[in-house]
């Protein structure tokens, strides 16, 4: 099983199937067949697999074709250390699929066949659930084009069909934390009142010691568990509607990239507490309401998490390199929410600066002429 590669096949024509998020079905691009999971089960849809003896790479760096497209292109892969690379045989064309040891679903570089590597999804690496894609690649392309629309300073050809094709659906591994936060809030509250009589102005200052303790319970705080993903970016893609999750099934991965987690829950614990701390402190500080002034605030929180759920969440991604910097576009594969950064072309900027300068210059000339005309 260790080096098995797997492909889901169309029950009608035996071409490969991919999961179409928009249809919520498995589709065949050859005979245009569409199947629900029940139909696939009823028809006894087959998988094609190839068990493969892993062999040492003959020549370092040779033929390590980047099967995961653009998305992985920027991950440094030292030429001489290929111990994290694994080789599989494509069940469809027999070509060699070389991938790193966290990839769980990918494509064959030679024939495009969606390939699943089941050993990455077993045992402790078997996700509890998956949130399937509900958008398709066309949606992601449109969203990208929309983001680029009207941006005059984009490098030329930035929205080329070639680039659009590189948008890839990725199932990103996440840990979802359940967490309890017990807080202790201490502060001093002050109320000042003043009044006058015929002779004096009186000022009365009341000081209170505020103590508030409480517990907040959180469920399903998502934290991406992939080393390759930018944390802030993944956070920005939230929320995911977790009520539409499905029990994990490998067939959902067909036609997408997928990875197993590289971070364990203990590695993400601090990120998790950092994320919820502002909410806890905000709640705790409600104890300070009703005072004119609150000072000397001390808030201490004890966190505890006894449940973390491993889940795969859908994201469309496009990484573009421009002048040595990465620009990332990502779309929540379920809701269509996007985040992205676009490069600014220096030559385009120069062009526009030139045009603006010329216009300004012309206007100045006209004003000077008009002014000259008056005198
Ligand atoms: Zn078919
Ligand atoms: Zn192939």
């Amino acid at each position: 099983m260790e080096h098995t590669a797997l492909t889901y096949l169309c029950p009608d024509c035996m071409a490969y199937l991919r999961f179409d998020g928009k249809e919520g079905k498995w589709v065949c691009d050859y005979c245009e067949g569409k199947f629900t999971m029940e139909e696939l089960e009823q028809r006894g849809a087959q998988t094609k697999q190839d068990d493969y003896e892993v062999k040492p790479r003959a020549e370092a760096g040779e033929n390590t074709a980047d099967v995961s497209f653009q998305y992985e292109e920027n991950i440094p892969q030292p030429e001489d250390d290929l111990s994290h690379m694994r080789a599989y045989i494509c069940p469809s064309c027999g070509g060699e699929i070389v991938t790193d040891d966290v990839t769980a679903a990918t494509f064959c570089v030679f024939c495009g066949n969606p390939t699943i590597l089941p050993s990455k999804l077993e045992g402790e690496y078997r996700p509890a659930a998956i949130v399937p894609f509900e958008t398709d690649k066309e949606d992601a392309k449109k969203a990208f084009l929309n983001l680029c629309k009207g941006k005059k300073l984009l490098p030329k050809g930035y929205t080329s069909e070639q680039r659009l094709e590189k948008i890839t659906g990725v199932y990103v591994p996440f840990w979802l934390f359940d967490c309890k936060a017990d807080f202790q809030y201490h502060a001093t509250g002050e109320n000042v009142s003043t009044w006058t009589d015929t002779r004096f102005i009186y000022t009365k200052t009341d000081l209170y010691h505020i103590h508030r303790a409480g517990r907040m319970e959180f469920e399903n705080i998502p934290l991406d568990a992939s080393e390759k993903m930018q944390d802030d970016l993944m956070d920005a893609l939230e929320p995911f509607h977790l009520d539409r999750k499905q029990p994990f099934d490998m067939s959902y991965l067909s036609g997408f990239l997928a990875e197993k987690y590289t971070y364990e829950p203990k590695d993400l614990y601090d990120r998790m507490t950092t994320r919820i701390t502002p909410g806890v402190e905000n709640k705790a500080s409600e104890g300070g309401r009703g005072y004119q002034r609150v000072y000397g605030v001390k808030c201490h929180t004890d966190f505890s998490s006894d449940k973390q759920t491993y889940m795969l969440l859908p994201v469309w991604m496009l990484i573009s390199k421009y002048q040595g910097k990465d620009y990332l576009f990502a779309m929540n594969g379920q809701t269509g929410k996007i985040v992205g950064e676009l490069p600014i072309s220096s030559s385009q900027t120069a062009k526009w600066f030139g045009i603006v300068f010329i216009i300004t210059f012309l206007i100045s000339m006209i004003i000077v002429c008009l002014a000259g005309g008056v005198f």
Side-chain angles (χ1 to χ4, degrees):
M1 202 61 179
E2 168 71 356
H3 298 290
T4 298
L6 187 92
T7 295
Y8 287 85
L9 300 180
C10 169
D12 288 335
C13 73
M14 302 301 275
Y16 61 73
L17 289 174
R18 61 177 178 84
F19 180 73
D20 186 306
K22 209 157 185 179
E23 300 259 359
K25 287 180 178 173
W26 283 261
V27 301
C28 170
D29 292 323
Y30 292 85
C31 70
E32 298 183 349
K34 291 176 184 169
F35 311 92
T36 62
M37 175 128 23
E38 291 73 37
E39 284 163 346
L40 286 181
E41 278 167 10
Q42 272 167 18
R43 308 223 6 212
Q46 290 172 26
T47 55
K48 191 171 178 185
Q49 63 181 55
D50 203 292
D51 296 312
Y52 180 60
E53 288 275 305
V54 74
K55 59 180 183 195
R57 307 279 321 137
E59 282 178 63
E62 182 239 358
N63 196 23
T64 53
D66 191 355
V67 289
S68 44
F69 299 96
Q70 198 74 0
Y71 153 67
E72 270 185 18
E73 79 171 0
N74 306 306
I75 311 305
Q77 298 190 343
E79 291 260 322
D80 29 0
D81 176 20
L82 290 170
S83 57
H84 63 297
M85 302 305 283
R86 298 282 179 274
Y88 301 83
I89 291 290
C90 169
S92 174
C93 74
E96 191 180 36
I97 299 173
V98 178
T99 179
D100 62 17
D101 54 9
V102 295
T103 299
T106 183
F107 304 88
C108 170
V109 267
F110 303 105
C111 70
N113 181 43
T115 306
I116 295 163
L117 310 170
S119 62
K120 311 291 177 55
L121 301 159
E122 286 169 348
E124 60 178 316
Y125 291 110
R126 186 179 167 85
I130 184 166
V131 172
F133 276 85
E134 293 179 24
T135 56
D136 62 18
K137 190 164 175 167
E138 289 307 310
D139 297 328
K141 285 184 187 175
K142 264 183 231 153
F144 179 71
L145 287 175
N146 253 331
L147 180 72
C148 294
K149 209 157 93 188
K151 308 280 193 305
K152 298 215 163 33
L153 301 180
L154 279 183
K156 267 208 172 110
Y158 200 71
T159 54
S160 68
E161 189 54 35
Q162 209 185 356
R163 187 179 307 278
L164 290 175
E165 272 315 307
K166 286 182 176 161
I167 295 177
T168 308
V170 184
Y171 277 110
V172 182
F174 274 75
W175 286 106
L176 289 96
F177 281 73
D178 287 0
C179 180
K180 294 186 182 74
D182 291 295
F183 62 82
Q184 294 279 348
Y185 174 93
H186 293 273
T188 301
E190 184 187 271
N191 283 342
V192 180
S193 46
T194 56
W195 66 93
T196 53
D197 61 17
T198 48
R199 290 188 303 159
F200 296 108
I201 298 172
Y202 301 89
T203 302
K204 176 166 154 270
T205 303
D206 291 316
L207 293 178
Y208 301 87
H209 175 226
I210 308 162
H211 177 210
R212 188 175 154 96
R215 164 174 286 187
M216 288 177 77
E217 295 192 10
F218 296 84
E219 269 181 15
N220 292 324
I221 307 160
L223 293 160
D224 82 84
S226 167
E227 203 180 343
K228 294 178 193 169
M229 297 292 164
Q230 270 171 258
D231 299 340
D232 51 345
L233 189 104
M234 288 300 122
D235 294 350
L237 287 176
E238 290 173 27
F240 289 88
H241 302 303
L242 299 171
D243 51 325
R244 296 211 286 275
K245 67 177 185 282
Q246 297 291 329
F248 178 70
D249 191 287
M250 256 189 278
S251 58
Y252 285 110
L253 306 186
S254 196
F256 300 99
L257 284 180
E259 286 199 348
K260 67 178 184 180
Y261 62 82
T262 42
Y263 293 132
E264 295 186 28
K266 63 175 167 51
D267 305 322
L268 301 174
Y269 196 79
D270 288 347
R271 247 180 78 202
M272 188 269 299
T273 57
T274 306
R275 276 194 74 179
I276 60 176
T277 294
V280 173
E281 292 188 345
N282 196 28
K283 185 81 193 164
S285 70
E286 285 176 5
R289 280 188 193 162
Y291 301 94
Q292 289 167 342
R293 195 162 84 90
V294 174
Y295 56 89
V297 174
K298 284 195 191 76
C299 187
H300 176 79
T301 312
D302 289 313
F303 299 95
S304 63
S305 168
D306 47 17
K307 189 179 156 212
Q308 304 91 31
T309 312
Y310 180 32
M311 219 179 273
L312 299 180
L313 302 183
V315 178
W316 291 103
M317 293 190 75
L318 175 67
I319 299 176
S320 311
K321 235 186 175 52
Y322 182 70
Q323 294 185 341
K325 189 176 177 294
D326 290 340
Y327 293 88
L328 200 134
F329 164 81
M331 180 172 118
N332 181 319
Q334 185 187 37
T335 65
K337 183 180 181 187
I338 63 163
V339 283
E341 240 190 317
L342 294 173
I344 290 175
S345 150
S346 41
S347 62
Q348 296 292 86
T349 308
K351 193 173 115 195
W352 276 91
F353 180 77
I355 290 170
V356 172
F357 177 76
I358 290 166
I359 292 171
T360 314
F361 181 71
L362 286 176
I363 292 171
S364 317
M365 285 293 286
I366 292 164
I367 291 169
V368 170
C369 291
L370 285 176
V374 172
F375 294 103

